[in-house]
PDB file of all heavy atoms in Angstrom:
ATOM      1  N   VAL B  84      13.904  23.291-133.606  1.00 97.00           N
ATOM      2  CA  VAL B  84      12.552  23.512-134.082  1.00 97.00           C
ATOM      3  C   VAL B  84      12.141  24.960-133.777  1.00 97.00           C
ATOM      4  O   VAL B  84      11.446  25.596-134.588  1.00 97.00           O
ATOM      5  CB  VAL B  84      11.562  22.535-133.441  1.00 97.00           C
ATOM      6  CG1 VAL B  84      10.120  22.886-133.783  1.00 97.00           C
ATOM      7  CG2 VAL B  84      11.873  21.106-133.908  1.00 97.00           C
ATOM      8  N   GLY B  85      12.586  25.472-132.666  1.00 96.00           N
ATOM      9  CA  GLY B  85      12.192  26.805-132.249  1.00 96.00           C
ATOM     10  C   GLY B  85      12.984  27.905-132.919  1.00 96.00           C
ATOM     11  O   GLY B  85      12.652  29.088-132.791  1.00 96.00           O
ATOM     12  N   TYR B  86      14.036  27.567-133.643  1.00 94.00           N
ATOM     13  CA  TYR B  86      14.915  28.578-134.249  1.00 94.00           C
ATOM     14  C   TYR B  86      14.234  29.169-135.495  1.00 94.00           C
ATOM     15  O   TYR B  86      14.092  28.515-136.501  1.00 94.00           O
ATOM     16  CB  TYR B  86      16.265  27.944-134.601  1.00 94.00           C
ATOM     17  CG  TYR B  86      17.251  28.885-135.213  1.00 94.00           C
ATOM     18  CD1 TYR B  86      17.296  30.226-134.852  1.00 94.00           C
ATOM     19  CD2 TYR B  86      18.151  28.472-136.176  1.00 94.00           C
ATOM     20  CE1 TYR B  86      18.184  31.112-135.414  1.00 94.00           C
ATOM     21  CE2 TYR B  86      19.067  29.317-136.776  1.00 94.00           C
ATOM     22  CZ  TYR B  86      19.078  30.647-136.396  1.00 94.00           C
ATOM     23  OH  TYR B  86      19.969  31.497-136.978  1.00 94.00           O
ATOM     24  N   ARG B  87      13.866  30.461-135.376  1.00 92.00           N
ATOM     25  CA  ARG B  87      13.140  31.102-136.462  1.00 92.00           C
ATOM     26  C   ARG B  87      13.958  31.221-137.750  1.00 92.00           C
ATOM     27  O   ARG B  87      13.413  31.186-138.838  1.00 92.00           O
ATOM     28  CB  ARG B  87      12.713  32.522-136.029  1.00 92.00           C
ATOM     29  CG  ARG B  87      11.825  32.566-134.813  1.00 92.00           C
ATOM     30  CD  ARG B  87      10.368  32.079-135.113  1.00 92.00           C
ATOM     31  NE  ARG B  87       9.633  33.082-135.864  1.00 92.00           N
ATOM     32  CZ  ARG B  87       8.977  32.823-137.011  1.00 92.00           C
ATOM     33  NH1 ARG B  87       9.014  31.612-137.544  1.00 92.00           N
ATOM     34  NH2 ARG B  87       8.297  33.763-137.635  1.00 92.00           N
ATOM     35  N   GLY B  88      15.274  31.304-137.623  1.00 92.00           N
ATOM     36  CA  GLY B  88      16.125  31.465-138.782  1.00 92.00           C
ATOM     37  C   GLY B  88      15.961  30.353-139.816  1.00 92.00           C
ATOM     38  O   GLY B  88      16.142  30.598-141.021  1.00 92.00           O
ATOM     39  N   LEU B  89      15.613  29.170-139.364  1.00 96.00           N
ATOM     40  CA  LEU B  89      15.483  28.055-140.308  1.00 96.00           C
ATOM     41  C   LEU B  89      14.259  28.196-141.183  1.00 96.00           C
ATOM     42  O   LEU B  89      14.312  27.987-142.396  1.00 96.00           O
ATOM     43  CB  LEU B  89      15.459  26.726-139.531  1.00 96.00           C
ATOM     44  CG  LEU B  89      16.733  26.420-138.769  1.00 96.00           C
ATOM     45  CD1 LEU B  89      16.646  25.004-138.179  1.00 96.00           C
ATOM     46  CD2 LEU B  89      17.970  26.534-139.670  1.00 96.00           C
ATOM     47  N   ALA B  90      13.144  28.574-140.581  1.00 96.00           N
ATOM     48  CA  ALA B  90      11.904  28.791-141.355  1.00 96.00           C
ATOM     49  C   ALA B  90      12.104  29.888-142.378  1.00 96.00           C
ATOM     50  O   ALA B  90      11.708  29.796-143.537  1.00 96.00           O
ATOM     51  CB  ALA B  90      10.761  29.114-140.421  1.00 96.00           C
ATOM     52  N   GLU B  91      12.840  30.924-141.976  1.00 95.00           N
ATOM     53  CA  GLU B  91      13.130  32.050-142.908  1.00 95.00           C
ATOM     54  C   GLU B  91      13.894  31.605-144.134  1.00 95.00           C
ATOM     55  O   GLU B  91      13.771  32.141-145.199  1.00 95.00           O
ATOM     56  CB  GLU B  91      13.959  33.121-142.200  1.00 95.00           C
ATOM     57  CG  GLU B  91      13.149  34.020-141.294  1.00 95.00           C
ATOM     58  CD  GLU B  91      14.068  34.860-140.389  1.00 95.00           C
ATOM     59  OE1 GLU B  91      15.252  34.999-140.719  1.00 95.00           O
ATOM     60  OE2 GLU B  91      13.566  35.317-139.344  1.00 95.00           O
ATOM     61  N   ARG B  92      14.698  30.564-143.969  1.00 95.00           N
ATOM     62  CA  ARG B  92      15.548  30.084-145.044  1.00 95.00           C
ATOM     63  C   ARG B  92      14.852  28.993-145.886  1.00 95.00           C
ATOM     64  O   ARG B  92      15.435  28.440-146.782  1.00 95.00           O
ATOM     65  CB  ARG B  92      16.819  29.477-144.455  1.00 95.00           C
ATOM     66  CG  ARG B  92      17.961  30.421-144.348  1.00 95.00           C
ATOM     67  CD  ARG B  92      18.803  30.323-145.618  1.00 95.00           C
ATOM     68  NE  ARG B  92      19.937  31.206-145.632  1.00 95.00           N
ATOM     69  CZ  ARG B  92      19.903  32.394-146.252  1.00 95.00           C
ATOM     70  NH1 ARG B  92      18.826  32.822-146.848  1.00 95.00           N
ATOM     71  NH2 ARG B  92      20.986  33.145-146.257  1.00 95.00           N
ATOM     72  N   GLY B  93      13.640  28.597-145.450  1.00 97.00           N
ATOM     73  CA  GLY B  93      12.898  27.618-146.218  1.00 97.00           C
ATOM     74  C   GLY B  93      12.887  26.235-145.653  1.00 97.00           C
ATOM     75  O   GLY B  93      12.516  25.265-146.301  1.00 97.00           O
TER      76      GLY B  93
END
Side-chain angles (χ1 to χ4, degrees):
Chain B
V84 173
Y86 180 35
R87 300 288 285 128
L89 296 186
E91 281 167 20
R92 268 268 180 263

